[in-house]
Amino acid sequence: MTDTAARRYSTGAMIFHWLIAILVIMNWRIAETAEHLEGADKLVVFGYHKAWGMLILALTVGRLLWRWSHPVPPLPSGLKAWEAKLARTVHVIFYVLLVALPLGGWLASSYGGRPVDFFGMFTIPVLPVGENKDLSKSIFDAHATGGSIFIYLIGLHILGALKHTFIDKNGGIFRMLPFGKA
């Protein structure tokens, strides 16, 4: 294994990373669009948001299984202690949000008595929690707040990758790409 390969994530990790990243950003935009709609149109667009969220959850489970079975490269040398701690903390929060946001959305939908249609292929049933419209709304509000936090953390993550790549010149972004010097 070359020195660069030892510092680079595996191909599977890269595929999971970029696929989930694209879907999360896309799904955030879908939710933002739905917020500005009314009536049946709003429900249809939020239906897609929920289906994509469940796909993100399934991919995240796959990504976690992959991560536990494939070694993660070490952080770039030369990071300050606070940078390494921040990087690890943000990654943990990412995984928590990648699981909690879809589960929270499913739970809120379940309290609202609404199953999740998965792109017309099948229906994900409501969880056995009974209906509680007030609790459904509260969980959806928390879900929206969590989504906003997630977007800000994605911005921080992107800024960190760019800083490490172009200012520190330690190959930051190339650790998650199949090209370039990691």
Side-chain angles (χ1 to χ4, degrees):
M1 180 181 294
T2 66
D3 190 41
T4 294
R7 291 188 304 254
R8 182 171 274 137
Y9 281 86
S10 66
T11 301
M14 289 181 205
I15 291 168
F16 278 119
H17 174 273
W18 291 108
L19 183 57
I20 291 170
I22 290 165
L23 290 176
V24 164
I25 292 168
M26 180 191 78
N27 212 23
W28 164 62
R29 294 304 311 146
I30 289 170
E32 290 294 314
T33 298
E35 283 296 330
H36 301 289
L37 298 174
E38 298 291 330
D41 290 339
K42 184 174 191 163
L43 293 175
V44 167
V45 175
F46 265 126
Y48 284 112
H49 174 75
K50 292 174 187 181
W52 286 114
M54 297 309 278
L55 179 59
I56 290 166
L57 176 62
L59 289 169
T60 298
V61 170
R63 183 175 181 178
L64 286 167
L65 293 172
W66 183 271
R67 184 178 174 111
W68 289 326
S69 63
H70 292 78
V72 175
L75 289 172
S77 61
L79 288 184
K80 296 175 181 79
W82 69 268
E83 290 175 313
K85 186 174 201 123
L86 180 61
R88 287 188 188 98
T89 301
V90 168
H91 279 107
V92 167
I93 294 169
F94 276 167
Y95 283 114
V96 168
L97 290 172
L98 284 167
V99 172
L101 287 173
L103 287 179
W106 185 18
L107 181 62
S109 289
S110 295
Y111 275 121
R114 295 179 304 271
V116 177
D117 175 69
F118 193 78
F119 304 109
M121 293 187 281
F122 57 87
T123 299
I124 301 169
V126 297
L127 295 166
V129 294
E131 283 194 35
N132 184 329
K133 302 288 185 187
D134 291 336
L135 190 52
S136 174
K137 182 182 179 334
S138 295
I139 295 170
F140 274 132
D141 289 345
H143 176 84
T145 300
S148 295
I149 291 167
F150 200 6
I151 292 302
Y152 288 120
L153 287 175
I154 290 169
L156 178 66
H157 181 65
I158 292 168
L159 288 173
L162 293 173
K163 175 199 177 283
H164 295 307
T165 303
F166 298 110
I167 295 173
D168 300 341
K169 300 194 184 306
N170 68 10
I173 200 168
F174 298 112
R175 292 164 34 88
M176 193 52 83
L177 291 170
F179 56 84
K181 185 167 173 31

